[in-house]
Amino acid sequence: MTDITLEQAQTVVEAARAAAVANGTRMNIAVVDAGGNLKAFVRMDDAWLGSIDISVKKARTARFFDMESGDIGTLSQPGGSLYNIEVSNGGLISFPGGIPLTVDDSIVGAIGVSGSTVEDDRAVAQAGVAAL
Amino acid sequence: MTDITLEQAQTVVEAARAAAVANGTRMNIAVVDAGGNLKAFVRMDDAWLGSIDISVKKARTARFFDMESGDIGTLSQPGGSLYNIEVSNGGLISFPGGIPLTVDDSIVGAIGVSGSTVEDDRAVAQAGVAAL
Amino acid sequence: MTDITLEQAQTVVEAARAAAVANGTRMNIAVVDAGGNLKAFVRMDDAWLGSIDISVKKARTARFFDMESGDIGTLSQPGGSLYNIEVSNGGLISFPGGIPLTVDDSIVGAIGVSGSTVEDDRAVAQAGVAAL
Amino acid sequence: MTDITLEQAQTVVEAARAAAVANGTRMNIAVVDAGGNLKAFVRMDDAWLGSIDISVKKARTARFFDMESGDIGTLSQPGGSLYNIEVSNGGLISFPGGIPLTVDDSIVGAIGVSGSTVEDDRAVAQAGVAAL
């Protein structure tokens, strides 16, 4: 298993933070490693307190299933094949903003962003992904 | 209470693992005993980390109510008689992949499988059930 | 980060189980991977139910700090430098029975054993370590 | 309430990280704000996984009581006035490595460091404090 380095994680966080500044949002930004454990985190000034936990859970959800957190959400709706999967793993977040991080075709961790609309959250997370 | 033996649990796990290998999936496979307590578990290489907890919860859900986990899910939808039962018992998983294990007409435990589509999960769990 | 394979984990578990059979004890045996996530587990017939969680926590404790679980315990006593560290990480177990697993000088996971005296638990864990 | 800014928190984290590099340790470094909520966090490569939670809990403990985490530990020993206070607040860490952060005589948050001996942890935390 290839793992993310702190330098890589900080590059990801900084790129996401810059994207949030650029679009005028205040975000919580978390990066977890290949094992799903927290590697780096920042909360921008005046960002929602409730989004600390959500950003971490989005990142963990993305690494736990090696897909975007929002993809889980399309399957977990009433009648869906993964209905209420959110109660597992101490709480999953299944709306957009969590994306796996890949280096040389290996998933090395994931980023989770929370603090605005899910569209904004996902865009900021994508900026982090693009920096790696 | 008739209970599953470790030898039986390992037979079930090994049959499920072989079925996963045969269909090219990477599964988390859990067996709980008659008391709903973990008896045996394996995570195949590169299987989803988030499916550790889900496989165990599927097995527990199946034994807690002596029916397939997916059968709970048909009753727990919005408007259903067991709406949101998933929040009980520290978290239930109510989609397919958890099946009771029976010996001589007595339920002795349950298997839970997670790591692919719910159809794949259930098929692999059934392979485990068939081995007992 | 090098990670343990399921084949290696099962070799470890089987060697520990054989050692438990040889000394007449009934053990819970858990192996976690490099990320501290459960990889393989067995509970021998009539092993203590309360030791399921303890075996997993011993393995996690050993990997969390890359040392034997009992070494934590020597530091966590009243007046010790790590007093009451056990309340962290959702619960640590700081008495013997958890040991890191190493391959080619890299820690790839850990084993945790619980079900008898701590001396027996540690001896069985060591048998698992020796098999890798 | 005066609160720490992200810029200040990152200055603290970076100074602590530099001190850890200088003394050859691998640390988890957390900063919480005036409300006790996580503001910034980094885990250095190969730092103990179990110290993620401990670094955060040290920081929270220091802010919860506006004193060094180790000072709580002198009161929480058997027979002490705060015996076993560690079980409160979802888990406190009462050994050294958590220190309040002060700006203009107001406590604006706290730093928590974990990854080595408690003496090393505290020294690295102090380097963070000194940078503010």
Coordinates of all heavy atoms in Angstrom, one line a residue, chain C residues 71-125:
Chain C
D71 N 3.9 -2.7 27.1 CA 4.8 -1.7 27.3 C 4.1 -0.3 27.6 O 4.6 0.5 28.4 CB 5.8 -1.5 26.1 CG 6.7 -2.7 26.0 OD1 6.8 -3.5 26.9 OD2 7.3 -2.8 24.9
I72 N 3.0 -0.2 27.0 CA 2.2 1.0 27.3 C 1.8 1.0 28.8 O 1.8 2.0 29.5 CB 0.9 1.1 26.4 CG1 1.3 1.2 24.9 CG2 0.0 2.2 26.8 CD1 1.8 2.5 24.5
G73 N 1.4 -0.2 29.2 CA 0.9 -0.4 30.6 C 1.9 0.0 31.6 O 1.5 0.4 32.8
T74 N 3.2 -0.2 31.3 CA 4.2 0.1 32.3 C 4.3 1.6 32.5 O 4.8 2.1 33.6 CB 5.6 -0.5 32.0 OG1 6.0 0.1 30.7 CG2 5.5 -2.0 31.8
L75 N 3.9 2.3 31.5 CA 4.0 3.8 31.6 C 2.6 4.5 32.0 O 2.6 5.7 32.2 CB 4.4 4.3 30.2 CG 5.7 3.8 29.6 CD1 5.9 4.2 28.2 CD2 6.9 4.4 30.5
S76 N 1.6 3.7 32.0 CA 0.2 4.3 32.2 C -0.3 4.2 33.6 O -1.4 4.5 33.9 CB -0.8 3.7 31.2 OG -1.0 2.4 31.5
Q77 N 0.6 3.6 34.5 CA 0.2 3.4 35.9 C 0.0 4.8 36.6 O 0.5 5.8 36.1 CB 1.2 2.6 36.6 CG 1.4 1.2 36.0 CD 0.2 0.4 36.1 OE1 -0.4 0.3 37.1 NE2 -0.1 -0.3 35.0
P78 N -0.6 4.8 37.7 CA -0.7 6.0 38.5 C 0.7 6.6 38.8 O 1.6 5.8 39.1 CB -1.3 5.6 39.9 CG -2.2 4.4 39.5 CD -1.4 3.7 38.4
G79 N 0.9 7.8 38.5 CA 2.2 8.5 38.6 C 3.1 8.3 37.4 O 4.2 8.9 37.3
G80 N 2.7 7.4 36.4 CA 3.5 7.2 35.2 C 3.3 8.3 34.2 O 2.3 9.1 34.3
S81 N 4.2 8.3 33.2 CA 4.2 9.4 32.3 C 3.0 9.3 31.3 O 2.6 10.4 30.7 CB 5.5 9.4 31.5 OG 5.6 8.2 30.7
L82 N 2.3 8.2 31.2 CA 1.2 8.1 30.3 C -0.1 7.7 31.1 O -0.9 7.0 30.5 CB 1.5 7.0 29.2 CG 2.7 7.2 28.3 CD1 2.8 6.2 27.2 CD2 2.7 8.6 27.7
Y83 N -0.2 8.1 32.3 CA -1.3 7.8 33.1 C -2.7 8.0 32.5 O -2.9 9.0 31.9 CB -1.2 8.6 34.4 CG -2.4 8.4 35.4 CD1 -2.7 7.1 35.8 CD2 -3.2 9.4 35.8 CE1 -3.8 6.9 36.7 CE2 -4.2 9.3 36.7 CZ -4.5 8.0 37.1 OH -5.6 7.8 38.0
N84 N -3.4 6.9 32.4 CA -4.8 6.9 31.9 C -4.8 7.2 30.4 O -5.9 7.6 29.9 CB -5.7 7.9 32.6 CG -6.5 7.3 33.8 OD1 -6.4 6.0 33.9 ND2 -7.1 8.0 34.6
I85 N -3.8 6.9 29.7 CA -3.8 6.9 28.2 C -4.9 6.1 27.6 O -5.4 6.2 26.5 CB -2.4 6.5 27.6 CG1 -2.4 6.9 26.1 CG2 -2.1 5.1 27.9 CD1 -1.0 6.6 25.5
E86 N -5.4 5.1 28.4 CA -6.3 4.1 27.9 C -7.7 4.8 27.5 O -8.4 4.1 26.7 CB -6.6 3.1 29.0 CG -5.5 2.2 29.3 CD -4.4 2.7 30.3 OE1 -4.6 3.9 30.8 OE2 -3.5 2.0 30.7
V87 N -8.0 6.0 27.9 CA -9.2 6.6 27.5 C -9.2 7.1 26.1 O -10.2 7.6 25.5 CB -9.6 7.7 28.5 CG1 -9.8 7.3 29.9 CG2 -8.7 8.9 28.4
S88 N -8.0 7.1 25.5 CA -7.9 7.7 24.1 C -8.2 6.6 23.1 O -8.4 5.4 23.4 CB -6.4 8.2 23.8 OG -5.6 7.1 23.7
N89 N -8.4 7.1 21.9 CA -8.6 6.2 20.7 C -9.8 5.3 20.8 O -9.7 4.1 20.3 CB -7.3 5.4 20.4 CG -6.2 6.3 19.9 OD1 -6.2 6.8 18.8 ND2 -5.2 6.7 20.8
G90 N -10.8 5.7 21.5 CA -11.9 4.8 21.7 C -11.7 3.7 22.6 O -12.5 2.7 22.6
G91 N -10.6 3.8 23.4 CA -10.2 2.7 24.3 C -9.0 1.9 23.9 O -9.0 1.2 22.8
L92 N -8.0 2.0 24.7 CA -6.8 1.2 24.5 C -6.7 0.1 25.5 O -7.2 0.3 26.6 CB -5.5 2.1 24.6 CG -5.3 3.2 23.6 CD1 -4.1 4.0 24.0 CD2 -5.2 2.7 22.2
I93 N -6.1 -1.0 25.2 CA -5.8 -2.0 26.2 C -4.2 -2.0 26.4 O -3.5 -2.2 25.4 CB -6.3 -3.4 25.8 CG1 -7.8 -3.4 25.7 CG2 -5.8 -4.5 26.7 CD1 -8.5 -3.2 27.1
S94 N -3.8 -1.8 27.6 CA -2.4 -1.6 27.9 C -1.8 -2.7 28.7 O -0.7 -2.5 29.3 CB -2.2 -0.3 28.6 OG -2.9 -0.3 29.8
F95 N -2.4 -3.9 28.7 CA -1.7 -5.0 29.3 C -1.3 -6.0 28.2 O -1.7 -5.8 27.1 CB -2.6 -5.7 30.4 CG -4.0 -5.9 30.1 CD1 -4.4 -7.0 29.4 CD2 -5.0 -5.0 30.6 CE1 -5.8 -7.2 29.1 CE2 -6.3 -5.2 30.3 CZ -6.7 -6.3 29.6
P96 N -0.4 -7.0 28.6 CA 0.2 -7.8 27.5 C -0.8 -8.6 26.6 O -1.8 -8.9 27.1 CB 1.1 -8.7 28.3 CG 1.5 -7.9 29.5 CD 0.2 -7.2 29.9
G97 N -0.3 -8.8 25.4 CA -1.1 -9.6 24.5 C -1.2 -9.0 23.1 O -1.7 -9.6 22.2
G98 N -0.7 -7.8 23.0 CA -0.7 -7.1 21.7 C 0.8 -6.9 21.2 O 1.5 -6.3 22.0
I99 N 1.1 -7.3 20.0 CA 2.5 -7.2 19.6 C 2.5 -6.8 18.1 O 1.8 -7.3 17.3 CB 3.2 -8.6 19.7 CG1 3.1 -9.1 21.1 CG2 4.7 -8.4 19.3 CD1 3.8 -10.5 21.3
P100 N 3.4 -5.8 17.7 CA 3.5 -5.4 16.3 C 4.0 -6.6 15.4 O 4.7 -7.5 15.9 CB 4.6 -4.3 16.3 CG 4.6 -3.8 17.7 CD 4.3 -5.0 18.6
L101 N 3.6 -6.6 14.2 CA 4.0 -7.6 13.2 C 4.9 -6.9 12.2 O 4.6 -5.9 11.7 CB 2.8 -8.2 12.5 CG 1.9 -9.0 13.4 CD1 0.6 -9.3 12.6 CD2 2.5 -10.3 13.8
T102 N 6.1 -7.5 11.9 CA 7.1 -6.9 11.1 C 7.5 -7.8 9.9 O 7.6 -9.0 10.1 CB 8.4 -6.6 12.0 OG1 8.0 -5.8 13.1 CG2 9.4 -5.9 11.2
V103 N 7.6 -7.2 8.8 CA 8.1 -7.9 7.6 C 9.2 -7.0 7.0 O 9.0 -5.8 6.7 CB 7.0 -8.1 6.5 CG1 7.6 -8.7 5.2 CG2 5.9 -9.0 7.1
D104 N 10.4 -7.6 6.8 CA 11.5 -6.8 6.2 C 11.7 -5.5 6.9 O 11.8 -4.4 6.3 CB 11.2 -6.6 4.7 CG 11.3 -7.8 3.9 OD1 11.9 -8.8 4.4 OD2 10.7 -7.8 2.8
D105 N 11.7 -5.5 8.2 CA 12.0 -4.3 9.1 C 10.9 -3.3 9.0 O 11.1 -2.2 9.5 CB 13.3 -3.7 8.7 CG 14.5 -4.6 9.1 OD1 14.4 -5.3 10.1 OD2 15.5 -4.6 8.4
S106 N 9.8 -3.6 8.3 CA 8.7 -2.6 8.3 C 7.5 -3.2 9.2 O 7.2 -4.4 9.0 CB 8.1 -2.4 6.9 OG 9.1 -1.6 6.2
I107 N 6.9 -2.4 10.0 CA 5.7 -2.8 10.8 C 4.6 -2.8 9.8 O 4.2 -1.8 9.2 CB 5.5 -1.9 12.0 CG1 6.7 -2.1 13.0 CG2 4.2 -2.3 12.6 CD1 6.5 -1.2 14.2
V108 N 4.0 -4.0 9.6 CA 2.9 -4.2 8.7 C 1.5 -4.3 9.4 O 0.5 -4.5 8.7 CB 3.1 -5.4 7.7 CG1 4.4 -5.1 6.9 CG2 3.3 -6.7 8.5
G109 N 1.5 -4.4 10.7 CA 0.3 -4.6 11.4 C 0.6 -5.0 12.8 O 1.7 -4.7 13.3
A110 N -0.4 -5.7 13.4 CA -0.2 -6.2 14.8 C -1.2 -7.3 15.1 O -2.2 -7.4 14.5 CB -0.3 -5.0 15.8
I111 N -0.8 -8.1 16.1 CA -1.7 -9.2 16.6 C -2.1 -8.8 18.0 O -1.3 -8.3 18.8 CB -1.0 -10.6 16.6 CG1 -1.9 -11.7 17.0 CG2 0.3 -10.6 17.4 CD1 -1.4 -13.1 16.9
G112 N -3.3 -9.2 18.3 CA -3.8 -9.1 19.7 C -4.5 -10.3 20.1 O -5.3 -10.9 19.4
V113 N -4.2 -10.8 21.3 CA -4.7 -12.1 21.8 C -5.3 -11.9 23.2 O -4.7 -11.2 24.1 CB -3.6 -13.2 21.9 CG1 -4.2 -14.4 22.5 CG2 -3.1 -13.4 20.5
S114 N -6.5 -12.4 23.5 CA -7.1 -12.3 24.8 C -8.0 -13.5 25.0 O -8.7 -14.0 24.2 CB -8.0 -11.0 24.8 OG -8.6 -10.9 26.1
G115 N -7.9 -14.0 26.3 CA -8.7 -15.1 26.6 C -8.2 -15.9 27.9 O -8.9 -16.8 28.3
S116 N -7.1 -15.6 28.4 CA -6.5 -16.3 29.5 C -5.7 -15.3 30.4 O -6.1 -14.1 30.4 CB -5.6 -17.4 29.0 OG -5.1 -18.2 30.0
T117 N -4.7 -15.8 31.1 CA -3.9 -14.8 31.8 C -3.1 -14.0 30.8 O -2.9 -14.4 29.6 CB -2.8 -15.6 32.6 OG1 -2.0 -16.3 31.8 CG2 -3.5 -16.6 33.6
V118 N -2.6 -12.9 31.2 CA -1.9 -12.0 30.3 C -0.6 -12.7 29.8 O -0.1 -12.5 28.7 CB -1.6 -10.6 30.8 CG1 -2.9 -9.8 31.0 CG2 -0.8 -10.7 32.1
E119 N 0.0 -13.6 30.7 CA 1.2 -14.3 30.3 C 0.8 -15.3 29.2 O 1.6 -15.4 28.2 CB 1.7 -15.1 31.5 CG 2.3 -14.2 32.6 CD 1.3 -13.6 33.5 OE1 0.1 -14.0 33.4 OE2 1.6 -12.6 34.2
D120 N -0.3 -16.0 29.3 CA -0.7 -16.9 28.2 C -1.1 -16.1 27.0 O -0.7 -16.5 25.9 CB -2.0 -17.7 28.7 CG -1.7 -18.8 29.6 OD1 -0.5 -19.3 29.6 OD2 -2.6 -19.3 30.3
D121 N -1.8 -15.0 27.2 CA -2.1 -14.2 26.0 C -0.9 -13.8 25.2 O -0.9 -13.9 24.0 CB -2.9 -12.9 26.4 CG -4.3 -13.2 27.0 OD1 -4.7 -14.4 27.0 OD2 -4.9 -12.3 27.6
R122 N 0.1 -13.3 25.9 CA 1.3 -12.8 25.3 C 2.1 -14.0 24.6 O 2.6 -13.8 23.5 CB 2.2 -12.1 26.3 CG 3.5 -11.5 25.6 CD 4.2 -10.6 26.6 NE 5.4 -10.0 25.9 CZ 6.6 -10.5 26.0 NH1 6.8 -11.7 26.6 NH2 7.6 -9.9 25.3
A123 N 2.1 -15.1 25.3 CA 2.8 -16.3 24.7 C 2.2 -16.7 23.4 O 2.8 -17.0 22.4 CB 2.9 -17.4 25.7
V124 N 0.8 -16.7 23.3 CA 0.1 -17.1 22.1 C 0.3 -16.0 21.0 O 0.5 -16.3 19.9 CB -1.4 -17.3 22.4 CG1 -2.2 -17.4 21.2 CG2 -1.6 -18.5 23.3
A125 N 0.4 -14.7 21.4 CA 0.6 -13.7 20.4 C 2.0 -13.8 19.9 O 2.3 -13.7 18.6 CB 0.5 -12.3 21.1

